[in-house]
Amino acid sequence: MPTGTISSSEDMVGVAVVNYQVPVVNNKDEVLANCFRIADFVDGVKRGYPGLDLIIFPEYSTQGFHLTKWRELSTTVPGPETEIFSEACRRNNVWGVFSITGELNLQGNPWDTFLLINNKGEIVLNYHKINPWVPMEPWYPGDRTTVVEGPKGIKIGAMICYDANIPELSRDLALKGAELIVLIQGYMNPAREQQRIVTQVRAWENLVYLANANLAGRDKTYSYFGHSSIVDYDGTIIVECDGTPDQVTYALLSVSSIRDSRKNWTAENHLFNLNHRGYSIETLKGGLGACPYDYIQEWSSNSKSFMKKTESITKFKTAEKRVLARTKIR
């Protein structure tokens, strides 16, 4: 896709990812001050890139990753934080992706939340992280993937940080029609190279654009490696930041191009080939569509049995997770 321009067009969605400096906040007033800083970024990036349609901020960019004050920094959605973000989107006529860690939850611990706000200031997508990072994150896990129509009609799916390491999640988004997967991360060293590879693989195996915004800099616990990027649906990196905090990069994504490729590609059309196995020998029947993967069948029919099976080949058992949750997450 084209790079080197600051404009966009009817077919091209202008997307910016922000290598946001990890915030260190200790109370709600400091959180709100940081929200206004994020809103200033929206203003500035729109001035600099007038073709901007969608701006993306990382996981933990609003409240930071505070290992002891996470509960008292949690908030409601909508709430005072989202009011600031919504106003920034309205006045700049852009869509934005923002992070709330956490969103208060009557079922238990707060959620790790991904919000997509449209150019009218409306929250159009509220996704809760399905795979919190074991054993450090206290967030209550979400239970569904989400895809919505975004700017200029591009279909957007949501992932948060560790979600990207679970290939089933991005595949589910793609099969729900996602053309752009937005991945927000608060990922730290030493996992930089693995995560750069993961973003490319997830894009290629699902024929999907992937826009990844990651934190940069250091808080009191971790060093975040940045490298926010936008990846083409053939797995090549279109643009990428380095590790410098507060960098922004921008690219154009063609809606018609990805739809044409999904319609006309053959050997590289992984979404079609997933369940059209044996197409060449089963032409009249349209391929062998039955699921050949035992773990998917067992997981869907007997989740407890599947959990025991996975624990039998791992050392990190459920009981140990509970102990760590009690002793490390306060």
Side-chain angles (χ1 to χ4, degrees):
M1 293 298 105
T3 61
T5 183
I6 62 174
S7 60
S8 64
S9 66
E10 185 176 344
D11 178 65
M12 304 293 269
V13 183
V15 179
V17 289
V18 182
N19 235 33
Y20 197 70
Q21 166 73 50
V22 56
V24 179
V25 295
N26 293 285
N27 55 57
K28 289 290 188 71
D29 289 340
E30 291 179 0
V31 170
L32 292 180
N34 183 54
C35 290
F36 284 112
R37 183 175 188 268
I38 291 171
D40 285 342
F41 261 79
V42 180
D43 296 340
V45 175
K46 181 62 177 181
R47 283 194 300 269
Y49 300 91
L52 179 70
D53 297 301
L54 173 65
I55 185 169
I56 302 165
F57 291 88
E59 179 192 32
Y60 292 113
S61 54
T62 301
Q63 288 116 322
F65 187 17
H66 204 301
L67 292 178
T68 60
K69 295 185 177 182
W70 54 271
R71 191 181 294 277
E72 64 190 80
L73 296 178
S74 295
T75 189
T76 58
V77 173
E81 297 83 1
T82 62
E83 288 180 9
I84 296 170
F85 300 152
S86 292
E87 173 56 30
C89 289
R90 277 193 298 268
R91 68 173 175 258
N92 289 288
N93 191 31
V94 299
W95 296 55
V97 170
F98 306 95
S99 168
I100 295 292
T101 47
E103 178 188 351
L104 292 174
N105 167 27
L106 296 178
Q107 301 176 70
N109 280 5
W111 289 296
D112 185 345
T113 296
F114 170 126
L115 297 176
L116 174 64
I117 298 177
N118 68 15
N119 57 342
K120 299 177 182 178
E122 302 164 335
I123 297 172
V124 295
L125 188 157
N126 183 337
Y127 165 70
H128 300 143
K129 188 176 187 178
I130 290 176
N131 294 282
W133 185 44
V134 175
M136 298 303 292
E137 291 186 324
W139 313 120
Y140 196 92
D143 60 4
R144 67 192 62 191
T145 59
T146 308
V147 175
V148 300
E149 186 172 296
K152 297 176 179 173
I154 196 167
K155 295 178 181 177
I156 295 176
M159 293 199 305
I160 303 177
C161 206
Y162 193 82
D163 282 340
N165 294 320
I166 308 299
E168 291 81 2
L169 202 154
S170 56
R171 179 55 54 85
D172 194 61
L173 292 172
L175 291 174
K176 284 182 175 177
E179 296 160 328
L180 166 62
I181 290 179
V182 175
L183 169 63
I184 61 172
Q185 293 189 303
Y187 230 125
M188 65 292 292
N189 288 319
R192 183 186 66 184
E193 288 309 305
Q194 292 91 336
Q195 289 306 300
R196 293 181 71 238
I197 292 168
V198 162
T199 58
Q200 293 179 263
V201 171
R202 294 292 168 262
W204 168 235
E205 67 189 2
N206 293 298
L207 297 187
V208 66
Y209 294 117
L210 195 149
N212 165 40
N214 189 31
L215 292 176
R218 178 166 178 80
D219 58 14
K220 297 180 180 180
T221 307
Y222 294 115
S223 292
Y224 302 86
F225 52 79
H227 282 268
S228 300
S229 63
I230 300 174
V231 184
D232 210 337
Y233 57 83
D234 66 355
T236 59
I237 294 175
I238 305 172
V239 291
E240 183 180 21
C241 298
D242 60 24
T244 306
D246 288 346
Q247 276 191 345
V248 179
T249 193
Y250 176 81
L252 301 177
L253 307 182
S254 169
V255 179
S256 63
S257 176
I258 189 172
R259 292 177 183 175
D260 178 79
S261 298
R262 285 182 170 182
K263 182 177 180 180
N264 293 299
W265 282 10
T266 54
E268 304 82 11
N269 197 328
H270 315 305
L271 297 179
F272 180 88
N273 296 337
L274 172 68
N275 63 355
H276 284 76
R277 300 173 301 110
Y279 184 79
S280 61
I281 61 172
E282 292 283 332
T283 304
L284 295 179
K285 297 180 181 179
L288 299 174
C291 177
Y293 307 112
D294 293 341
Y295 87 94
I296 293 178
Q297 298 179 39
E298 183 176 3
W299 191 3
S300 62
S301 64
N302 191 335
S303 60
K304 290 185 178 180
S305 171
F306 180 62
M307 181 179 285
K308 290 180 179 178
K309 180 174 290 186
T310 56
E311 289 180 350
S312 72
I313 60 173
T314 61
K315 296 180 180 179
F316 201 45
K317 303 296 192 298
T318 301
E320 293 169 341
K321 295 178 187 178
R322 292 179 182 141
V323 170
L324 282 168
R326 288 196 299 271
T327 58
K328 291 193 174 184
I329 303 298
R330 300 186 186 281

